[in-house]
Amino acid sequence: MPMIESQGSAIPRVLVLGGTTEASRLAQALADAQVDAIFSYAGRTESPLPQPLPLRVGGFGGVDGLCAWLQDQHISHVVDATHPFAAQMSRNAATACAVTGIPLLALERPAWQAQVGDHWQHVPDIASAAQALPHTPSRIFLAIGRQHVEPFLALQQHWFLLRLVDAAVALPPERGHIVLARGPFTVAADTALLQQHRITHVVAKNSGGSGAEAKLSAARALGLPVILIDRPAIPPRPTTGRVDEVLQWIAAPHGSTGVATERGV
């Protein structure tokens, strides 16, 4: 990929707020184009994927800390490629960019849409998902990561299957089982996983993308109900789903939203 040349008054210096497959694809594209960029991880995973860009890990200290960091590092563009449920980081990025005048673009994957044969119950948040589970003992595939499992584990009648990137949660054998794995996952493997553990319900976040969609296809094939947590609301911001459009935006005159469209989550 050729080197990006800015049409603005300064050479671009980009902050990528990462944590998704799309963010990793963007990082590679920026490295190939020889764009000066920094990749930021929140630090919630013990073994994050390596990236071809300079890396920083950890929080910024809220909006004020992010504003100071952006200015200290002479950042010209911010790309929010965080997980769709990393709402606080997205909100902080929107506010900090508005305060500093630094252009912001979200690289966002579309949400999943129900298909024929799906048995989805939409809920607004984690607490509602826990409340939506049946009262009778059930076997739950809890596909929500490790940060919000406690409200579910408090429901003593259920058995839980957790799939995590790292073993940061302790789960007694009588309460469930933990699978350590990183996507992308296949429909065949997820179907076998649900059958092996005799799963009766699936709980998932509507994170979108292809890497974790297999569990929904497997649930559809097996006729299992899915409790799907809707994405949190964040401020409207210029958004694209394509890495090449991010590169075009960076190369455009400073502040131009280019081909991106504004929408909320």
Side-chain angles (χ1 to χ4, degrees):
M1 184 175 294
M3 180 177 178
I4 286 182
E5 296 183 2
S6 174
Q7 299 178 18
S9 59
I11 297 174
R13 180 167 169 78
V14 181
L15 170 64
V16 178
L17 300 172
T20 60
T21 301
E22 293 77 13
S24 296
R25 291 172 183 160
L26 174 61
Q28 188 60 61
L30 291 170
D32 291 344
Q34 302 179 44
V35 176
D36 184 7
I38 299 173
F39 193 99
S40 176
Y41 274 124
R44 294 173 179 170
T45 300
E46 293 181 359
S47 53
L49 290 173
Q51 300 294 338
L53 297 174
L55 190 66
R56 70 168 303 281
V57 178
F60 292 92
V63 172
D64 290 344
L66 180 55
C67 287
W69 190 91
L70 292 173
Q71 293 172 324
D72 289 346
Q73 294 294 320
H74 305 290
I75 297 298
S76 65
H77 299 73
V78 176
V79 181
D80 181 1
T82 58
H83 191 276
F85 282 77
Q88 191 57 58
M89 185 68 253
S90 292
R91 293 176 189 130
N92 288 351
T95 302
C97 287
V99 169
T100 59
I102 296 172
L104 170 69
L105 179 64
L107 178 58
E108 176 189 297
R109 55 176 91 155
W112 291 316
Q113 302 295 324
Q115 300 182 27
V116 175
D118 283 324
H119 303 282
W120 290 3
Q121 178 181 352
H122 288 272
V123 294
D125 50 36
I126 293 290
S128 300
Q131 293 171 3
L133 289 176
H135 296 296
T136 55
S138 303
R139 299 177 68 86
I140 315 298
F141 180 27
L142 197 58
I144 61 169
R146 62 181 173 87
Q147 294 183 49
H148 304 291
V149 300
E150 291 304 323
F152 297 92
L153 299 183
L155 303 173
Q156 296 292 328
Q157 71 271 34
H158 299 313
W159 186 94
F160 294 97
L161 173 65
L162 307 181
R163 182 162 62 193
L164 307 173
V165 174
D166 48 60
V169 176
L171 190 62
E174 66 273 13
R175 295 301 320 282
H177 179 70
I178 296 175
V179 174
L180 297 181
R182 190 192 298 269
F185 304 104
T186 66
V187 176
D190 274 8
T191 301
L193 182 70
L194 298 182
Q195 290 176 316
Q196 175 189 351
H197 293 284
R198 296 178 285 115
I199 296 302
T200 62
H201 296 74
V202 175
V203 178
K205 296 177 177 178
N206 195 342
S207 56
S210 59
E213 189 176 11
K215 59 180 174 285
L216 300 179
S217 299
R220 183 186 311 123
L222 297 173
L224 300 180
V226 175
I227 298 170
L228 198 62
I229 303 168
D230 291 333
R231 295 180 176 188
I234 57 175
R237 66 266 170 92
T239 303
T240 182
R242 293 172 48 180
V243 167
D244 63 327
E245 290 187 349
V246 177
L247 299 183
Q248 293 173 27
W249 173 75
I250 292 169
H254 187 75
S256 171
T257 57
V259 295
T261 58
E262 283 203 5
R263 68 173 183 266
V265 175

